[in-house]
Amino acid sequence: MNYYLFQAKRSLKRFVFTPYFSPRKLVNAAGLFIQFGLLKNSRVRGYPLKLSFDPTSVCQLKCPLCPTGQRSNGRSKGAMEFSNYKKTVDSMAPYLYEIDLNNWGEPFLNKDLIKMVEYAHRKRIRTSINTNLNVALSEKEAADLVKAGLDVLYISMDGLTQETYEKYRVGGNLQRVWDNIALVVKKKKQLGKKKPRIVWQFLVSKYNEHEVPKLQAVKEKLGVDELVIGFLRSDMGKEIFTPDKEKVEGMKKWLPKNESLSRYDYNEKKRKLQKKYCHFLWFVSVINWNGSVSPCCANYFEKLDFGNAFKDGFKAVWNNENYVRARKAVAEHKAMSGTVCDNCIKTGFID
């Protein structure tokens, strides 16, 4: 009973008691929950509650477990044009609660990023950015980011010294990240704003696990709002194609000695959390820099995407043959769709 009460309160906060509420959005959301939870419709009446737009597929770092960092050629390179972003947001704004501005690249490498945030805010859509924050921000850019109305700024920073930080964030500069955080915190105070909420994400590996006890003190010193201690994923370009046992074997170099700081059970060689369902196909979608639509953020290979929102319009893609077949396969838990989603049915849905 406590679990269901928690979920009810969480849903009210997310979909009703929010500045981004509208009756139309709520009706759309309620319809999606019914179709996912009860009917398992393969052709959905309604549209996603959240879209992830990838401002660019390029990143300046070379994180070893990320296909972009590996310089893989599975996805074309480029930056999203604001006109394409605006057109898609205009068509989906009546239904959207949230927009994430990130996926495979570093968002701040797109010159229109702050403009994208501001436009979504004008359309009454919650926004977040997930960044390595290794692009030096100017005083004006930091102020404009705060003024734009960004709700959450997630910062990936996995070390307290340059030596530990660059073990994973290869090519990154820790001092630059700290300077950028200080600048955004300062602009929030100067402008009298509570947003963006700054969330520091620290992914634990065997190279930085000794720093975990010190994180809370550093959080207070930096002035960030929240600290999230997270677990490393396996090679993200191959994640949905690889059984858990192979993931664990391939990550031996990175896994922390303290198993409680890992997503894997070392003896069983599998994830501790085994999801039995996937909600992405009913509630969320990903639009990459060139409009190519991925069913979730885990599909790196462009050739396996479901369509193109900029060429065909997102609404047409949302219920096309690929989406319909994938939803049917996931609902029935049978790898029969001929889409990339079959892989998660076989190897386990990502957590």
Side-chain angles (χ1 to χ4, degrees):
M1 180 61 70
N2 288 337
Y3 171 77
Y4 291 109
L5 183 60
F6 166 77
Q7 290 295 347
K9 289 181 177 179
R10 185 184 182 193
S11 295
L12 284 172
K13 184 177 179 181
R14 186 175 182 184
F15 300 117
V16 180
F17 303 127
T18 167
Y20 306 114
F21 167 83
S22 78
R24 188 173 183 180
K25 290 181 183 180
L26 184 61
V27 169
N28 179 67
L32 294 181
F33 278 105
I34 291 170
Q35 291 174 85
F36 170 70
L38 297 177
L39 305 177
K40 293 293 188 287
N41 288 7
S42 55
R43 186 175 296 278
V44 176
R45 296 186 66 178
Y47 298 102
L49 307 180
K50 180 168 79 171
L51 287 176
S52 291
F53 286 88
D54 199 5
T56 178
S57 58
V58 176
C59 185
Q60 75 279 51
L61 303 191
K62 296 181 179 180
C63 303
L65 295 177
C66 171
T68 307
Q70 297 164 0
R71 302 302 187 255
S72 171
N73 61 1
R75 188 164 291 280
S76 57
K77 308 301 180 186
M80 185 176 291
E81 294 181 6
F82 181 78
S83 59
N84 287 326
Y85 168 82
K86 178 180 180 296
K87 183 178 180 180
T88 306
V89 171
D90 286 344
S91 71
M92 297 305 298
Y95 315 99
L96 288 177
Y97 278 93
E98 302 175 19
I99 284 177
D100 292 339
L101 287 159
N102 46 257
N103 196 29
W104 293 112
E106 167 46 51
F108 280 95
L109 293 178
N110 187 311
K111 61 181 177 60
D112 291 322
L113 179 66
I114 296 174
K115 189 177 177 183
M116 291 174 173
V117 172
E118 191 276 333
Y119 192 75
H121 187 69
R122 264 197 282 153
K123 291 287 185 176
R124 297 182 62 243
I125 303 169
R126 182 182 185 272
T127 52
S128 68
I129 295 172
N130 199 320
T131 173
N132 60 52
L133 212 60
N134 258 271
V135 177
L137 295 178
S138 66
E139 293 262 349
K140 182 179 184 306
E141 287 169 334
D144 287 346
L145 183 66
V146 174
K147 292 176 184 177
L150 180 69
D151 289 275
V152 188
L153 182 65
Y154 295 100
I155 300 168
S156 297
M157 183 172 64
D158 320 307
L160 299 183
T161 68
Q162 180 63 28
E163 182 181 7
T164 55
Y165 174 74
E166 66 185 6
K167 280 290 185 180
Y168 187 75
R169 304 291 166 182
V170 178
N173 184 312
L174 181 61
Q175 187 60 53
R176 182 181 296 133
V177 181
W178 285 6
D179 290 345
N180 284 334
I181 291 173
L183 191 56
V184 176
V185 169
K186 182 177 78 171
K187 293 304 177 183
K188 283 173 63 177
K189 291 178 179 177
Q190 288 179 348
L191 295 166
K193 302 289 187 181
K194 293 182 179 181
K195 298 190 301 184
R197 180 172 180 80
I198 302 174
V199 179
W200 170 17
Q201 299 181 131
F202 186 96
L203 299 181
V204 184
S205 72
K206 74 176 184 181
Y207 300 105
N208 63 16
E209 63 183 307
H210 63 283
E211 296 179 331
V212 170
K214 307 173 186 176
L215 296 181
Q216 192 61 37
V218 177
K219 168 192 173 288
E220 300 300 327
K221 182 179 179 180
L222 290 173
V224 302
D225 299 293
E226 184 180 351
L227 167 66
V228 176
I229 298 173
F231 306 143
L232 274 177
R233 310 193 75 88
S234 63
D235 189 320
M236 291 180 284
K238 303 173 183 176
E239 184 177 23
I240 57 178
F241 305 97
T242 310
D244 280 2
K245 185 176 181 179
E246 292 180 26
K247 290 174 184 171
V248 174
E249 289 294 328
M251 287 189 69
K252 284 184 176 179
K253 175 182 177 181
W254 297 99
L255 292 175
K257 294 179 181 178
N258 184 348
E259 190 177 326
S260 69
L261 297 174
S262 171
R263 74 185 338 110
Y264 299 102
D265 181 312
Y266 294 169
N267 289 325
E268 297 291 331
K269 293 188 177 181
K270 66 179 183 180
R271 284 169 289 169
K272 297 172 186 175
L273 175 63
Q274 297 287 327
K275 287 180 62 177
K276 297 180 180 180
Y277 62 89
C278 175
H279 68 276
F280 284 96
L281 293 167
W282 284 264
F283 295 98
V284 184
S285 191
V286 178
I287 301 177
N288 295 285
W289 75 274
N290 59 354
S292 192
V293 177
S294 301
C296 77
C297 58
N299 177 42
Y300 178 69
F301 296 97
E302 192 167 317
K303 66 182 181 180
L304 301 178
D305 283 347
F306 281 10
N308 192 291
F310 297 162
K311 294 178 181 177
D312 304 319
F314 178 80
K315 290 181 178 179
V317 176
W318 180 239
N319 272 313
N320 68 10
E321 184 180 352
N322 286 325
Y323 258 111
V324 170
R325 284 189 284 123
R327 290 190 191 108
K328 180 176 174 59
V330 169
E332 297 182 12
H333 218 280
K334 296 179 181 178
M336 59 183 184
S337 72
T339 72
V340 68
C341 296
D342 286 351
N343 295 282
C344 280
I345 298 171
K346 296 173 184 176
T347 63
F349 299 116
I350 62 169
D351 52 297

